[in-house]
Amino acid sequence: MSEGIDGYLSEADFRHAIASVPLVSVDLLVVRDGHLLLGLRRDEPAQGTWFVPGGRIRRGERIADALQRIWRAEIVGELAGEAPRLVGAYEHFYERCFDGSATATHYVVLAYRVTPASDVMLKPDSHDAQWWAPIDESAGEHGSCPVHPNARAYFSALRGGDPA
């Protein structure tokens, strides 16, 4: 495999890796006043469903740094001084890749509960809308759009149920 100028895999090698190995990512479970922040996904995977913000961990990147980078990339507002708390490890399987191709993807996801310092909102880059979903309810859909099954598992974990 070859690295590009920026230290990342070439496009061809990255696509081979996606088809060959699980990707490691973090999801941000942003909780405020008993509600979980969800975004209506504009992009694959999980396009057209409600999901939490998150993203892949880069090679050589510490988890704490990935959490900060993804927070800055996806959320407007400040993260509280309180350290993110690991809720659990999950496996997410998708029939489509982030670019919309038919390459199936497998993610190993570390879900972290994070507390915003104040009011926050999702950046509109990859979300068409946002919703503060009540944690104490079983989230099925909102505005006729489904909550993705992988995101539904987080509601149970935040209520103290089975984390995976």
Side-chain angles (χ1 to χ4, degrees):
M1 292 200 169
S2 59
E3 287 189 8
I5 296 170
D6 58 1
Y8 295 102
L9 293 175
S10 69
E11 181 75 16
D13 286 342
F14 183 57
R15 294 199 175 283
H16 177 72
I18 290 170
S20 304
V21 299
L23 302 171
V24 181
S25 65
V26 293
D27 277 350
L28 302 173
L29 309 184
V30 183
V31 176
R32 183 186 73 196
D33 300 325
H35 292 75
L36 176 63
L37 179 61
L38 298 177
L40 185 56
R41 297 255 329 144
R42 181 178 295 157
D43 302 319
E44 293 288 359
Q47 182 179 33
T49 65
W50 293 102
F51 211 93
V52 298
R56 293 182 303 273
I57 298 174
R58 296 175 177 164
R59 183 181 184 279
E61 183 177 43
R62 296 187 181 281
I63 294 170
D65 295 335
L67 290 166
Q68 289 290 330
R69 176 181 54 79
I70 292 165
W71 179 276
R72 288 189 305 272
E74 298 224 10
I75 297 173
V76 176
E78 295 299 317
L79 183 62
E82 168 184 328
R85 191 181 89 234
L86 181 65
V87 172
Y90 297 79
E91 288 188 290
H92 294 178
F93 296 91
Y94 299 99
E95 293 180 11
R96 304 197 69 75
C97 189
F98 65 89
D99 64 359
S101 69
T103 303
T105 54
H106 174 195
Y107 287 84
V108 174
V109 183
L110 305 174
Y112 282 86
R113 181 181 177 142
V114 294
T115 305
S118 60
D119 286 341
V120 297
M121 60 183 272
L122 290 172
K123 291 183 178 177
D125 299 4
S126 60
H127 300 92
D128 286 324
Q130 75 174 31
W131 171 37
W132 286 97
I135 293 169
D136 63 356
E137 297 177 16
S138 294
E141 70 176 15
H142 177 69
S144 76
C145 295
V147 174
H148 194 279
N150 291 336
R152 286 185 203 159
Y154 297 146
F155 285 83
S156 176
L158 290 170
R159 287 192 304 265
D162 184 16

